[in-house]
């Protein structure tokens, strides 16, 4: 761990709390949305060609594509 971060067990406690409250998924969805915006208009489409609102992932589609 970098020296400017708290001890690893405190960092992990934050991560665990965020995960339990669904914030890790929320952070991921927001970052993915921002990356799609930065790449341009065509990058906002998922593999099926549907437009996704920024920050809104489709759970079933994301899981299905993750398994491929």
């Amino acid at each position: 761990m970098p020296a400017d971060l708290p001890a690893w067990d405190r960092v992990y406690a934050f991560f665990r709390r965020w995960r339990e409250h669904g914030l890790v998924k929320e952070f991921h969805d927001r970052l993915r949305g921002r990356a799609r915006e930065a790449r341009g208009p065509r990058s906002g489409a998922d593999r099926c060609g549907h437009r996704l609102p920024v920050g809104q992932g489709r759970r079933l589609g994301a899981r299905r594509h993750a398994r491929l």
Side-chain angles (χ1 to χ4, degrees), residues 48-60:
C48 300
H50 299 107
R51 298 280 303 170
L52 299 177
V54 173
Q56 299 289 323
R58 295 191 317 178
R59 295 174 188 244
L60 294 176

Side-chain angles (χ1 to χ4, degrees), residues 10-60:
R10 291 220 2 114
V11 174
Y12 182 70
F14 274 102
F15 169 75
R16 193 176 62 231
R17 198 172 322 143
W18 292 346
R19 186 183 59 200
E20 290 169 0
H21 288 91
L23 293 175
V24 172
K25 182 177 180 343
E26 176 72 20
F27 296 156
H28 182 261
D29 289 345
R30 287 182 184 199
L31 287 171
R32 182 176 53 236
R34 288 181 183 180
R36 286 179 175 166
E37 276 184 352
R39 282 184 290 203
R42 290 205 49 154
S43 62
D46 65 6
R47 290 184 182 181
C48 300
H50 299 107
R51 298 280 303 170
L52 299 177
V54 173
Q56 299 289 323
R58 295 191 317 178
R59 295 174 188 244
L60 294 176

